[in-house]
Amino acid sequence: MFRSYSQNAEDVVLWRALKDVVEGCYVDVGAADPVVDSVTKAFYDRGWSGIDVEPTAAYAAALRDDRPRDAVVQACAGDAPGSLTLHEVIGTGLSTVTDDVDRVDTERYEVVDVEVPVVVLDDLLEEHGCEGRDIHFLKVDVEGFEEQVLRGVSLARWRPWIVVIEATLPNSTVQVHDRWEHLLTDAGYQFCLFDGLNRFYSSPDHPELVEILSFPVCVFDEPYVRRPHGDLLDEYENLAEGNSRLQELYEQAIAEHGKVEQLWKRAVDDFEQLNERHLATLADFERLEGIHRSTVGDYERVEGLYHRAVGDYERVDGELRDALARVAAHAEELRLLGEERDVLRQGVARMSAEYDELRAARDRANHELDLMRHTVSWRVTRPLRGVRRRIAR
């Protein structure tokens, strides 16, 4: 879609005639702001370049900043070199070197008189190497000084394809083209269109443009947008671009969430496996601990019997020294009991070793659980485990 920046859609008409030209050239006399109400902005954005003639310092500086490809000349264009007093209407395109400044509402606008240089377009075009080059359009908007500008340019020499020139008194619908139109027609230029503000003329070298330029902007032109709709379109495009960036960030966040969820699931699986091993270890430990306690009880019981038997043996040995047969019998009994005690002692020693190994395994399992409970994954998934336990109930 064509973005129009000009005050009266002049650039739409020019684009209709020149849209097939690649990297064309323009001369903008009275260029003013590089964007607001600019006839050449849309062409510059499409790769064109040219010469901007603008006497006010603020607009000239803005043009230099905004259009590095253009040659910006801070001066007035006239019919003879020198200087003139510019009645600068601050912040507007109404500045003029004529006495028509009296038309300006001085209560609304500030007017400052500034001495500015005057250049002749013939000299300027020659200085910037335009000899032998196509100038696709010459635009003149100088608030009443149009005749002097045209008298300073040899149209027969430079042959701009199209001349578009403001044709009314400043801030008025009164047409004044009769003052200078003969300068164009004498050079063979043919009038094509008056759009209510400007008059369009076609070079005798390009008669094919006459019909194309003969009607104002209409529904048959390439779709275009103007201020403020263009500003709204820019804002919409910026918002759309921001939305695209947010969508990308959202998709990245979803992807990161998926990765975190996978890590969480792996952590839960690892925890459940470790917990199962821990529970199995605890069950084994409790079973062996029961066996150990039973064995210790048997050992203590046998140890008590052994001690009582020893006491009995010593008592009987003292009493029955003379009864060797009975002593021998008791000795054999004592021997057997001693063997049984040794067997049980060995069993207790083995069970104690197994008990110590199980206790070490339990301690390691408890340590691994403590490490797991202090991980970020365990803390992050704590609410989920609570939900799982409540669901399990």
Side-chain angles (χ1 to χ4, degrees):
M1 179 177 291
F2 185 82
R3 172 73 183 273
S4 173
Y5 295 88
S6 59
Q7 181 181 16
N8 203 37
E10 299 95 329
D11 51 0
V12 179
V13 176
L14 289 168
W15 183 249
R16 179 201 304 155
L18 300 172
K19 60 185 176 182
D20 293 330
V21 176
V22 178
E23 296 183 357
C25 175
Y26 51 75
V27 176
D28 191 349
V29 181
D33 190 90
V35 178
V36 178
D37 294 338
S38 172
V39 174
T40 53
K41 166 69 173 172
F43 290 87
Y44 184 88
D45 288 349
R46 284 164 172 76
W48 287 44
S49 61
I51 301 172
D52 304 316
V53 182
E54 172 55 44
T56 62
Y59 284 148
L63 285 162
R64 292 189 190 97
D65 290 341
D66 193 72
R67 302 190 184 182
R69 293 195 309 272
D70 280 4
V72 179
V73 179
Q74 186 177 335
C76 285
D79 55 357
S83 63
L84 286 171
T85 299
L86 174 70
H87 308 294
E88 183 178 349
V89 185
I90 304 299
T92 76
L94 301 175
S95 301
T96 180
V97 294
T98 72
D99 292 335
D100 286 335
V101 70
D102 295 337
R103 297 174 178 269
V104 177
D105 183 357
T106 55
E107 292 185 359
R108 182 179 178 186
Y109 300 110
E110 179 185 1
V111 180
V112 177
D113 288 346
V114 182
E115 197 74 11
V116 295
V118 178
V119 297
V120 177
L121 276 184
D122 276 343
D123 297 337
L124 190 64
L125 296 176
E126 184 174 346
E127 178 185 346
H128 286 85
C130 293
E131 193 78 53
R133 293 175 53 195
D134 283 330
I135 298 173
H136 295 97
F137 69 86
L138 165 65
K139 167 256 178 181
V140 180
D141 179 2
V142 289
E143 306 300 318
F145 207 59
E146 291 80 14
E147 180 181 358
Q148 289 81 351
V149 172
L150 291 177
R151 290 190 180 279
V153 59
S154 173
L155 295 172
R157 176 184 178 187
W158 303 108
R159 317 295 281 184
W161 292 19
I162 301 170
V163 176
V164 55
I165 184 167
E166 189 172 272
T168 64
L169 289 175
N171 288 328
S172 168
T173 59
V174 177
Q175 298 187 51
V176 293
H177 60 280
D178 57 322
R179 301 177 183 178
W180 43 257
E181 186 174 49
H182 64 282
L183 299 173
L184 289 157
T185 56
D186 289 349
Y189 278 78
Q190 183 171 344
F191 168 71
C192 302
L193 169 69
F194 175 61
D195 67 0
L197 178 64
N198 308 277
R199 291 175 74 84
F200 291 75
Y201 299 85
S202 173
S203 164
D205 296 336
H206 294 277
E208 75 278 3
L209 298 178
V210 174
E211 184 178 354
I212 299 175
L213 294 171
S214 64
F215 54 93
V217 175
C218 67
V219 295
F220 298 108
D221 282 308
E222 178 180 336
Y224 68 94
V225 62
R226 299 183 64 195
R227 299 176 64 201
H229 302 94
D231 296 336
L232 292 174
L233 181 61
D234 287 344
E235 184 176 354
Y236 169 78
E237 290 175 349
N238 291 334
L239 290 174
E241 183 180 355
N243 181 67
S244 296
R245 288 198 298 269
L246 287 176
Q247 183 66 27
E248 290 176 2
L249 292 174
Y250 170 75
E251 291 174 357
Q252 292 174 4
I254 290 296
E256 291 298 325
H257 176 267
K259 293 177 182 177
V260 171
E261 189 174 28
Q262 291 177 357
L263 290 174
W264 172 75
K265 289 180 178 179
R266 285 200 296 269
V268 169
D269 291 341
D270 291 343
F271 170 75
E272 289 177 350
Q273 292 175 9
L274 184 61
N275 194 47
E276 288 176 0
R277 291 198 299 269
H278 171 68
L279 293 176
T281 302
L282 285 179
D284 289 341
F285 172 77
E286 290 173 354
R287 178 178 56 80
L288 292 175
E289 188 175 34
I291 295 173
H292 170 72
R293 288 174 180 171
S294 176
T295 303
V296 169
D298 290 342
Y299 167 78
E300 291 175 347
R301 178 179 56 79
V302 172
E303 183 77 10
L305 291 173
Y306 171 77
H307 287 299
R308 285 197 296 273
V310 169
D312 290 342
Y313 168 76
E314 291 174 348
R315 178 176 53 80
V316 170
D317 185 66
E319 293 176 353
L320 300 175
R321 290 179 181 274
D322 56 345
L324 294 177
R326 292 176 61 188
V327 170
H330 281 289
E332 180 64 17
E333 183 181 358
L334 180 61
R335 184 185 64 78
L336 293 173
L337 287 173
E339 289 177 356
E340 185 179 356
R341 183 194 68 174
D342 291 340
V343 171
L344 290 174
R345 179 178 292 169
Q346 291 174 2
V348 168
R350 285 194 302 273
M351 294 305 298
S352 294
E354 291 181 7
Y355 174 81
D356 290 340
E357 289 177 359
L358 288 173
R359 182 164 56 188
R362 179 197 62 186
D363 292 341
R364 285 194 301 273
N366 286 333
H367 180 65
E368 290 180 5
L369 283 176
D370 288 339
L371 291 177
M372 175 63 72
R373 291 189 181 103
H374 285 84
T375 61
V376 174
S377 298
W378 180 265
R379 293 198 299 271
V380 170
T381 57
R382 182 178 181 181
L384 298 177
R385 295 195 306 275
V387 171
R388 178 179 291 179
R389 287 194 294 271
R390 288 195 293 273
I391 293 174
R393 292 173 185 169

